[in-house]
Amino acid sequence: MSGADLVFSDIEICLKYLPAETTEEALKEFFSASGAINGMPSLMRNPSTGKCKGMGWVNFMTPEGATAAIALHGCRFMGRNLDITRGRSRAGQIKGTVQAIGTHSPALLEEVLTRLVLPNPDGVYIDGTFGRGGHSRGILSKLSKKGALHAFDMDDVAVAVGRQLEKADPRFHMHKGKFASMYKVMKELGVEVNGILLDIGISSPQLDGDRGFRPEMEGPLDLRYDLTSGVPAHEFLQTVSAEDLETILIKYGGEDATVAQRIADMVVFQRETGVIPSRTTDFAEFVRKVKGKEYQAMHPAKLTFQALRIHLNEEFEQLEKGMRAALKTLAVGGKLGIITWKHSECELVIKEFHAREACSAEYPLLQWHKETMPPGQTEALPKGGGWYMENVSRPSAKELSENSRSRSALLHVLNKKRGVLVSTLEEECYPLLRLGRGQAAAGSAKKGKKKKEAEKGEGDEAKEELASPVKEEGGKQKEKKSKNEKRGEEEEGGAKKKRKQKA
């Protein structure tokens, strides 16, 4: 969000790092010395415990009161140093709300229903990320008596909620498992699916719960959705190497490379000289001390927690597998809706879309093929199931005013079509065009195909071809390496050299 998109309040202050024991009464008493307060302060609370989650807001009667309170930035309150800033909202005076305890507002619900369900209320649908059932209940409200909804989730608490809904509505069916398993499950049931929804990332109840998903929330450092699978974060940190942890922090958290290396090195140093914290707030404080000041308006340990959560739950891998499973599961004409919250998730969606993108009728290369090739040759090109991407939906002003957490949500809608894939057309046309760029792309496509064959174990010959050897003088061979690959090797070598020097 750019500075131009923000509207700062002249009478409201935003408070961070409040203790869990904070009450509205205590806040009002503390800040009343700055000026007259309008009503009672607001607190963001943990829905499972009712305690403060570390954030709160105070509205003053006058701008002078808010200014006096902001001057107290960094002051001690119940043993904590408070972060005090002006309250802010998006341009247009849309003010976010504090979500009620124990509730979950499904993001982009109206858009999901309009684009995925309403075109065919008699259809069969999948909610691949049930959570607490917000989207599922919305979908059921728009289905006819002939329609059906199948939901998937790994979280035992979510599955238990789903079982109750299953008893109440015969059109609903709950499955415990990863959404990537949908094709196998639906194939065994012999069901044709018309629409699939995937809401990527973490739900509000999980974020507000006691598994350590937020650095400000006290609880065990776990970070797993499914407590019966894998290892908790504090155990993972006991064995992960500094190199692997550094990669995880950069890849999944978007951390600066230098900061990621420092955090990784200090985690290893800490476990060799002491004990890795097993509680959320203790580990968050450890990361804060290593990282130092954070220029963004968030806890310094937020990206570290995000990276560990994504890695431990294999979120990116599940998204890739889930999109491939969805393509096989959907009937032709069916739609896949994916709600993303971060740029890295959007990148994965676009990457998978391009891998199985169906040619549109107006695609220039397809038009060239029709005009250039003999009659009937274009129609004879191999066809398969692919994606056509529709426009992205964003939260409305009304939704932002009711649920500020939806501000980062995007709804991507992919339509399954049967036709010629762009990748197939490129392999066919690029050699004919005899363009350097085209030939390189065709070679890249072929290498991708050979890589898949090698991964399936279809012979050593395929694996050798994957390396794309070229001859040097004297008959020697070496592998082609892109500039990015060489740069990556140089950076990795530099990092290892630094560690040896430290040792």
Side-chain angles (χ1 to χ4, degrees):
M1 188 188 301
S2 66
D5 295 325
L6 294 176
V7 176
F8 290 87
S9 171
D10 60 352
I11 59 172
E12 182 187 62
I13 62 170
C14 176
L15 306 168
K16 293 184 180 179
Y17 311 128
L18 291 168
E21 296 75 21
T22 302
T23 64
E24 290 84 349
E25 292 76 11
L27 270 186
K28 187 168 186 176
E29 181 181 353
F30 184 84
F31 283 99
S32 60
S34 300
I37 294 175
N38 183 15
M40 293 297 291
S42 299
L43 293 178
M44 188 173 285
R45 293 183 177 276
N46 183 333
S48 61
T49 65
K51 292 186 176 182
C52 178
K53 296 195 323 183
M55 289 192 68
W57 295 264
V58 179
N59 271 289
F60 288 87
M61 299 295 290
T62 65
E64 291 76 18
T67 301
I70 291 171
L72 298 175
H73 174 73
C75 67
R76 298 288 288 180
F77 175 77
M78 298 175 66
R80 291 279 189 91
N81 292 326
L82 296 185
D83 179 283
I84 308 175
T85 59
R86 290 195 180 276
R88 59 187 181 180
S89 62
R90 285 182 178 271
Q93 305 300 321
I94 299 167
K95 180 93 172 69
T97 60
V98 181
Q99 194 163 316
I101 297 174
T103 66
H104 171 62
S105 301
L108 294 161
L109 179 59
E110 290 301 320
E111 290 77 7
V112 167
L113 299 179
T114 301
R115 302 185 66 180
L116 264 64
V117 183
L118 291 182
N120 183 11
D122 295 337
V124 177
Y125 295 87
I126 291 176
D127 182 353
T129 47
F130 179 75
R132 296 302 181 267
H135 284 112
S136 285
R137 290 184 176 87
I139 292 171
L140 288 169
S141 72
K142 300 300 180 182
L143 289 182
S144 70
K145 293 181 179 180
K146 297 179 181 178
L149 175 63
H150 294 258
F152 291 77
D153 210 297
M154 298 182 293
D155 189 327
D156 284 330
V157 177
V159 173
V161 174
R163 296 295 181 213
Q164 294 300 314
L165 183 56
E166 197 171 33
K167 293 176 182 178
D169 194 327
R171 300 173 301 168
F172 180 76
H173 310 277
M174 187 72 214
H175 307 276
K176 180 179 180 181
K178 299 176 180 179
F179 55 70
S181 67
M182 70 174 82
Y183 175 69
K184 179 181 178 182
V185 173
M186 304 314 287
K187 184 179 180 181
E188 290 176 352
L189 293 173
V191 176
E192 189 175 65
V193 178
N194 304 104
I196 298 170
L197 173 66
L198 303 177
D199 186 356
I200 305 305
I202 187 168
S203 69
S204 293
Q206 289 171 325
L207 192 65
D208 298 337
D210 57 358
R211 299 185 198 174
F213 288 115
R214 288 171 60 94
E216 304 95 340
M217 296 285 292
E218 176 58 30
L221 187 62
D222 195 304
L223 299 175
R224 292 173 297 166
Y225 297 141
D226 183 359
L227 296 179
T228 65
S229 177
V231 297
H234 66 86
E235 287 187 21
F236 172 74
L237 293 171
Q238 300 294 337
T239 58
V240 64
S241 68
E243 290 81 3
D244 287 346
L245 183 54
E246 179 183 338
T247 299
I248 289 168
L249 295 176
I250 295 172
K251 182 178 180 181
Y252 299 132
E255 270 290 13
D256 172 81
T258 301
V259 172
Q261 179 187 327
R262 289 174 180 172
I263 293 173
D265 287 345
M266 288 301 98
V267 165
V268 173
F269 174 77
Q270 177 66 22
R271 75 181 183 216
E272 291 178 353
T273 59
V275 178
I276 296 289
S278 61
R279 305 292 294 179
T280 304
T281 52
D282 293 337
F283 182 68
E285 180 64 11
F286 169 77
V287 173
R288 184 196 67 77
K289 291 177 180 178
V290 174
K291 185 174 182 179
K293 295 292 183 181
E294 171 59 60
Y295 74 93
Q296 299 187 73
M298 64 182 184
H299 193 288
K302 179 180 178 180
L303 298 181
T304 297
F305 276 65
Q306 172 185 302
L308 289 171
R309 189 201 79 221
I310 291 174
H311 174 74
L312 291 172
N313 294 288
E314 300 180 335
E315 291 182 29
F316 286 6
E317 291 84 353
Q318 285 304 307
L319 176 55
E320 291 175 345
K321 293 177 181 177
M323 288 186 67
R324 295 166 194 168
L327 186 61
K328 294 193 293 182
T329 305
L330 281 170
V332 174
K335 293 185 178 184
L336 168 65
I338 305 175
I339 298 176
T340 61
W341 299 84
K342 297 186 288 293
H343 178 68
S344 54
E345 294 167 351
C346 292
E347 284 185 324
L348 276 177
V349 170
I350 298 303
K351 175 187 173 184
E352 284 300 312
F353 159 67
H354 284 312
R356 297 292 299 181
E357 180 180 2
C359 286
S360 65
E362 60 184 17
Y363 191 62
L365 197 58
L366 186 63
Q367 293 296 324
W368 176 87
H369 195 274
K370 285 181 178 180
E371 295 169 2
T372 308
M373 296 297 106
Q377 192 161 330
T378 300
E379 289 72 17
L381 286 170
K383 297 177 176 61
W387 295 121
Y388 172 78
M389 181 173 283
E390 301 180 5
N391 292 331
V392 170
S393 289
R394 292 173 170 80
S396 64
K398 180 177 182 294
E399 179 172 357
L400 287 173
S401 69
E402 297 172 350
N403 178 19
S404 60
R405 284 183 174 177
S406 68
R407 63 187 178 276
S408 302
L410 296 174
L411 174 62
H412 310 260
V413 178
L414 306 181
N415 201 323
K416 180 176 177 179
K417 303 285 188 181
R418 180 166 177 78
V420 179
L421 302 186
V422 172
S423 58
T424 301
L425 188 63
E426 288 173 341
E427 286 188 46
E428 173 76 15
C429 295
Y430 281 159
L432 301 174
L433 293 170
R434 297 181 179 179
L435 297 174
R437 186 186 300 273
Q439 291 166 0
S444 176
K446 288 180 180 178
K447 276 196 269 183
K449 186 175 181 181
K450 290 172 184 175
K451 183 178 179 181
K452 290 180 181 177
E453 292 173 351
E455 289 174 347
K456 292 179 180 178
E458 294 181 2
D460 295 333
E461 185 177 347
K463 294 178 181 177
E464 292 171 4
E465 290 177 350
L466 183 61
S468 299
V470 293
K471 288 187 177 181
E472 287 183 317
E473 293 182 8
K476 294 182 180 179
Q477 290 185 333
K478 65 177 182 180
E479 291 184 0
K480 291 180 180 178
K481 294 182 180 177
S482 68
K483 291 181 179 180
N484 288 338
E485 288 172 331
K486 289 178 180 178
R487 191 180 298 115
E489 290 177 359
E490 290 171 359
E491 291 176 354
E492 183 180 357
K496 290 181 178 178
K497 187 175 180 181
K498 284 183 181 179
R499 291 197 178 89
K500 287 182 179 179
Q501 291 173 347
K502 287 181 181 180

